Amino acid sequence: MLIAQVALRQDRDAFKSLFQYFGPRVKSVMLRAGADHEFAEDLVQEVMMTVWRKARLYAPERGPVSTWIYTIARNARIDRLRRASSQPYLDLDEIELASGMADGEDRAFASQRAEHVARALDELPDEQRRIIEYAYVHDMAQSEIAAKLELPLGTVKSRMRLAYTKLKGKLEVLK
Amino acid sequence: MTILHHLDQTTLLRYASGDLDEAFSVVVAAHLAMCDECRRELRIAEDIGGRLLEESEMATVSDGAFSRIMCRIDEAEASGETILAAPPIALRGGKQDVPSTLQRYIGTRLADISWKTVAPGVRRHKIALSTPTRSALYMLKIEPGKAVPEHGHGGTEMTLILSGAYRDALGRFGPGDLADLDEHVEHQPRVEPGEPCVCLVATEAPTRFKGIFSRLLQPLVGI
Ligand SMILES: [Zn+2]
């Protein structure tokens, strides 16, 4: 696994492959979240730098690499785009790592879970999927989503709940 | 600790997608630190982000981007200090009753918090945040048997119980329980007999109290 090579040996070729795969995707997410090109490039540097620095802390039993990099990008977005604080997220990560809180979940479970989530996302009705994308990719607040879609806030919330419930339903088979 | 009241699903998704301000993410992270069940849910909610990142189209990254990052890494390492993150050290033992994610905000022990009386039987400790926000974050310590005046909420309010317990129309809330209320819920919590209830509260907007007497208690939740 690429990330393991970066973690164990600071393997630059492996890191380059990760950069080539995730860099453009992270940039695209930052652009859609409202960053301009220059800022988005900056954020790609920051996110990939964190990937390099924290590769040893990546825990496959918690989820796939893409999920881990997503959380790094989200945290950068919270700090730099929203000018809020990702500190609570970082502190939570720390205590999870320090106490080995994997809750009996393992690598195989985590990757199956992610596959089911992926499939469930593909099967979501458009109106639910769009709201999820606005929140996760476009970094829109619930109230902004409501305004954009000309829907009451309550409808946005209930569609989010529906989408999440459907996703969870797909995970039942894993239990 | 049996936790009965958890994160609302939309709160979970907002946390996972980065849509909460500092006040609310502190409360949510503190609940997550105490609750295995919600931490498992969070992984699912974050998998959504991972999947959408993977599916995302690829923007053009400038030509020199990779060599630029390698230069930065080389420079940092040439300075002699490692830039690689160290694995976190195991949790400190000893007497601490504050969830770890909250310790940088209020210290490690509830007993060390300095309180200010805001109404008979009600003490408050405001928590300073590091980023600007419309929301307020504070601790409340309410004496046993004390009722908090009935109020609807001007906005979202989230309360995490750290010690003691209260009861309202939604049930009993003890340590680790999270009351994740949106604006339309009316509730009248009463602290259970025995010990004071200490809780962490984030509010989005000032609470509207009913009645004149209750309004005297406004400073209780006032921002
Ligand atoms: Zn929970």
Side-chain angles (χ1 to χ4, degrees):
Chain A
M1 219 159 77
L2 292 170
I3 192 75
Q5 290 169 296
V6 176
L8 294 173
R9 297 194 298 274
Q10 284 85 57
D11 185 321
R12 294 186 173 210
D13 292 328
F15 185 56
K16 187 170 190 177
S17 304
L18 278 177
F19 189 95
Q20 284 168 339
Y21 186 85
F22 285 105
R25 288 175 165 81
V26 168
K27 183 171 177 186
S28 156
V29 167
M30 294 303 181
L31 287 171
R32 280 179 287 170
D36 62 19
H37 277 273
E38 203 179 324
F39 196 12
E41 285 273 338
D42 226 41
L43 290 165
V44 169
Q45 293 275 317
E46 187 175 316
V47 168
M48 294 311 293
M49 190 70 163
T50 305
V51 170
W52 174 266
R53 287 182 41 245
K54 293 196 170 171
R56 283 191 295 185
L57 306 186
Y58 165 67
E61 63 277 10
R62 294 169 63 196
V65 176
S66 56
T67 296
W68 183 63
I69 296 183
Y70 162 75
T71 63
I72 294 172
R74 173 203 60 203
N75 294 352
R77 205 165 67 179
I78 290 172
D79 292 326
R80 304 282 310 278
L81 276 173
R82 290 208 178 210
R83 301 193 176 282
S85 171
S86 67
Q87 194 61 56
Y89 294 82
L90 301 178
D91 288 343
L92 185 66
D93 270 357
E94 287 256 320
I95 63 158
E96 273 204 300
L97 289 167
S99 57
M101 290 182 197
D103 309 323
E105 295 185 358
D106 58 21
R107 193 181 290 224
F109 180 90
S111 72
Q112 274 183 325
R113 185 193 65 214
E115 272 169 40
H116 280 82
V117 167
R119 211 168 316 144
L121 267 176
D122 290 344
E123 290 170 10
L124 281 185
D126 257 4
E127 58 171 33
Q128 289 166 26
R129 159 115 188 175
R130 196 173 316 139
I131 288 175
I132 295 287
E133 279 183 10
Y134 280 150
Y136 278 80
V137 180
H138 297 253
D139 195 25
M140 288 164 71
Q142 284 186 336
S143 52
E144 292 174 309
I145 299 174
K148 168 120 186 164
L149 296 176
E150 296 178 359
L151 290 170
L153 186 59
T155 308
V156 170
K157 286 185 185 183
S158 63
R159 284 188 190 168
M160 275 192 159
R161 284 202 184 91
L162 274 174
Y164 186 72
T165 306
K166 218 164 281 177
L167 249 97
K168 287 255 303 180
K170 297 277 176 195
L171 295 174
E172 285 301 311
V173 293
L174 288 177
K175 299 241 163 97
Chain B
M1 172 170 24
T2 311
I3 298 178
L4 296 174
H5 303 275
H6 298 275
L7 295 176
D8 180 85
Q9 289 179 344
T10 58
T11 306
L12 179 78
L13 294 174
R14 290 183 68 191
Y15 183 82
S17 65
D19 185 33
L20 296 175
D21 64 17
E22 189 179 359
F24 283 89
S25 47
V26 167
V27 180
V28 171
H31 177 78
L32 287 163
M34 299 166 94
C35 181
D36 298 344
E37 198 175 322
C38 285
R39 261 197 328 274
R40 278 195 291 274
E41 299 276 329
L42 177 64
R43 304 233 168 90
I44 298 170
E46 289 181 335
D47 278 343
I48 297 174
R51 173 61 177 181
L52 293 176
L53 177 64
E54 246 172 67
E55 277 185 356
S56 172
E57 57 193 68
M58 296 176 71
T60 314
V61 170
S62 70
D63 286 341
F66 182 71
S67 45
R68 206 157 65 242
I69 198 167
M70 291 323 296
C71 277
R72 285 175 60 198
I73 289 168
D74 284 336
E75 269 170 34
E77 273 168 2
S79 75
E81 53 194 290
T82 180
I83 57 165
L84 302 180
I89 37 169
L91 294 176
R92 283 159 297 162
K95 267 207 159 302
Q96 36 180 285
D97 46 11
V98 173
S100 337
T101 57
L102 196 55
Q103 293 184 0
R104 73 170 65 243
Y105 292 93
I106 61 167
T108 56
R109 282 156 31 100
L110 295 179
D112 297 339
I113 294 173
S114 56
W115 300 98
K116 191 179 161 220
T117 301
V118 290
V122 182
R123 280 172 284 175
R124 183 179 63 189
H125 171 77
K126 285 192 187 179
I127 298 173
L129 297 169
S130 62
T131 53
T133 155
R134 280 177 55 229
S135 310
L137 182 67
Y138 49 90
M139 309 278 304
L140 286 181
K141 183 175 187 178
I142 308 168
E143 291 307 311
K146 178 95 192 151
V148 178
E150 183 170 355
H151 55 287
H153 295 270
T156 305
E157 177 182 296
M158 231 182 252
T159 303
L160 175 69
I161 313 303
L162 297 179
S163 78
Y166 73 73
R167 191 179 284 280
D168 68 9
L170 298 171
R172 182 182 186 272
F173 290 76
D177 280 326
L178 183 80
D180 186 359
L181 304 177
D182 77 19
E183 47 227 287
H184 304 301
V185 181
E186 303 261 331
H187 70 146
Q188 184 168 24
R190 180 180 288 277
V191 175
E192 299 234 297
E195 57 170 320
C197 179
V198 177
C199 46
L200 172 70
V201 187
T203 50
E204 199 178 29
T207 302
R208 296 180 306 258
F209 282 98
K210 293 173 166 177
I212 296 162
F213 176 69
S214 299
R215 221 169 277 140
L216 295 174
L217 293 173
Q218 184 91 41
L220 164 63
V221 254
I223 294 177

